[in-house]
Amino acid sequence: MEAVRLIQASRRALAGSVGEAEVLTEVWQAHTLAQAIGSRLAVSGPPELRGEALGLTELAGRGCGVLDTPELDEGDLRAARLTELDDARETLLCLGGLLGEIGIVLVCLAGGVDEGTYWQCIESIDAADESRDRVLEMLRKLAAREEALPER
């Protein structure tokens, strides 16, 4: 499935999630999707993005690692359905939005959970924020690349 469609599906699922377990599952899903997209860009994306894409993969992996791994059927893992990344710019714009939404949802959740879950939320917010910074840097590099192309 194409990356933008998977991101949109994650955004809808995150927005519709109810309860602590469902929210944390959707946040974990979003982090795994960001990790998969970062990995795809690092391997086959524009050369200018590869270093930042590797950083995104690492940071998103940290976001997954701080959360308890949800019990999902193999077919329910959105990141495993990533087959295409047609437009790097559009994908990164959408991914940046998803990562921002993760932070908002987790801030809301963190106020009403036990201490262990609270710290998972805080660490996951940090990973999402740093991942979003990487996405914004990749968008900046893409814009610079597009500006330079007409000059050649």
Side-chain angles (χ1 to χ4, degrees):
M1 183 179 276
E2 208 282 318
V4 171
R5 288 182 55 208
L6 284 169
I7 294 167
Q8 291 168 341
S10 283
R11 290 177 90 170
R12 285 190 302 274
L14 183 63
S17 60
V18 179
E20 178 183 325
E22 193 174 341
V23 168
L24 292 175
T25 295
E26 290 307 327
V27 168
W28 187 87
Q29 286 261 38
H31 279 302
T32 62
L33 183 55
Q35 187 178 28
I37 290 169
S39 180
R40 178 70 58 100
L41 286 170
V43 171
S44 59
E48 305 87 344
L49 304 185
R50 292 186 180 158
E52 295 296 332
L54 280 173
L56 172 62
T57 301
E58 180 181 316
L59 290 164
R62 192 181 86 205
C64 297
V66 299
L67 298 171
D68 293 332
T69 303
E71 292 184 29
L72 296 171
D73 291 333
E74 192 172 309
D76 292 335
L77 180 60
R78 280 187 212 99
R81 290 185 256 158
L82 178 64
T83 58
E84 301 173 50
L85 200 153
D86 294 336
D87 182 346
R89 183 181 176 282
E90 182 68 21
T91 298
L92 291 170
L93 285 169
C94 292
L95 184 59
L98 175 61
L99 292 167
E101 289 168 12
I102 287 174
I104 293 167
V105 167
L106 287 174
V107 165
C108 294
L109 180 65
V113 295
D114 63 77
E115 186 176 354
T117 305
Y118 170 83
W119 286 110
Q120 285 182 22
C121 289
I122 297 303
E123 291 294 323
S124 185
I125 290 167
D126 186 46
D129 187 48
E130 289 182 41
S131 293
R132 189 166 185 269
D133 288 345
R134 294 291 173 127
V135 167
L136 293 174
E137 181 61 20
M138 285 188 277
L139 285 167
R140 187 195 66 72
K141 287 181 177 187
L142 279 177
R145 176 183 178 219
E146 289 172 12
E147 284 179 19
L149 286 177
E151 295 173 10
R152 292 183 186 167

